[in-house]
Amino acid sequence: MTTPPGLPSPDPSPQPGRFGAVVLTGGTAARMDGADKASIELDGTTLLERALAATMTAVEVVVVGEQVPTTRPVTWTREDPREGGPAAGLLAGVDMFLRAPELVAVLAVDMPRVTPGTFVRLCEALNDDHDGALLVGKDGRRQPLCAVYRWTALDRARPKSREDEHGLPVRALLEGLGLVEVPAQGDEARDVDTWADLRALRESS
C-alpha cells in the first residue's frame, strides 16, 4: 500500500503478520448531523484512508461500514442488524478474517492522528499476562477502539448468542479482560465526535 500524501510512513511492525485489523466506520455520528465520518477529509485525506494507513502493517484489514473505493484491498462487512454499536461491529469484523490472527487491532475511523507507530507500541506493551493493550489519552480517558486484543480473548469474551451482541456496550464486552494501558503520544487520542473537534484538528495541522 502506498502512503497517501501528507501521512507518515509506516514504522516497522515488531512481528509482521501477527495481527489483523478491524476499522469501524459505521457509527451514526449523531453529534455531526449524521455525517459520513469516513469520507470527511483532514489535510486532503479522508478519515478512512488515514485509518487504513494507520493499520497498513496488518496482514488483513476488515472495514465495518458502507463500502467505498479504497487505496488498498480490504474486506467489507456490517453488523447484523445494523446500528448495533461498536462492540457488535468489532465482533462482526473479527468474524470476517480469512484466518484467525494472533492479535486483532481495532481502530475507530474518527481517530485520525493514530499512526502505524501507535500499533507498534500497543503490540510491544503486551506480555503473556495481558489480553490486550489500549491507548489512553492525556486526560486519562481509555480508548478501547484504538487497541490491540488477543483473538482468543475476544472469542472468550463475546456473548454466547449473536443476538446479544447487538447494543452490547464495549465496556461490557471487555469486562474481565486483562488490559494494559499505553499512554498516547501527541494528539493520537484525539477523536472527531463533533464539528468543533474537526475544526480544532484542522487548525492544529
Side-chain angles (χ1 to χ4, degrees):
M1 173 182 173
T2 302
T3 304
L7 295 183
S9 299
D11 297 59
S13 176
Q15 293 184 30
R18 284 184 70 198
F19 72 91
V22 175
V23 175
L24 301 174
T25 74
T28 60
R31 287 187 283 174
M32 298 183 74
D33 308 310
D36 175 17
K37 286 187 180 181
S39 67
I40 291 173
E41 291 190 2
L42 182 64
D43 298 332
T45 303
T46 66
L47 298 192
L48 176 56
E49 286 297 335
R50 286 179 167 272
L52 295 181
T55 56
M56 61 178 16
T57 54
V59 66
E60 184 178 1
V61 177
V62 177
V63 180
V64 183
E66 294 297 325
Q67 188 167 347
V68 297
T70 57
T71 56
R72 69 168 293 179
V74 301
T75 300
W76 292 89
T77 192
R78 287 300 304 260
E79 70 275 23
D80 185 19
R82 296 189 178 196
E83 298 185 8
L90 169 58
L91 295 173
V94 167
D95 288 340
M96 293 300 293
F97 287 128
L98 296 177
R99 181 178 179 183
E102 177 187 349
L103 301 175
V104 177
V106 59
L107 179 61
V109 78
D110 62 359
M111 299 186 67
R113 296 305 192 202
V114 173
T115 71
T118 309
F119 286 104
V120 170
R121 294 190 350 263
L122 289 167
C123 289
E124 290 177 339
L126 288 171
N127 62 38
D128 292 340
D129 296 327
H130 300 139
D131 293 316
L134 51 74
L135 196 70
V136 178
K138 295 176 182 178
D139 58 359
R141 184 161 65 104
R142 301 172 103 202
Q143 294 284 359
L145 300 184
C146 180
V148 174
Y149 302 107
R150 297 194 187 280
W151 184 92
T152 52
L154 287 178
D155 189 56
R156 185 176 72 246
R158 73 187 307 167
K160 301 302 181 185
S161 169
R162 294 299 172 90
E163 294 180 355
D164 293 334
E165 294 176 3
H166 186 82
L168 178 71
V170 174
R171 179 179 63 257
L173 174 65
L174 303 178
E175 187 177 10
L177 297 189
L179 304 176
V180 60
E181 298 181 351
V182 177
Q185 294 182 358
D187 288 337
E188 282 177 326
R190 291 181 66 174
D191 50 18
V192 181
D193 283 334
T194 66
W195 294 114
D197 292 336
L198 180 62
R199 286 193 297 271
L201 277 171
R202 284 174 171 167
E203 290 169 2
S204 67
S205 298

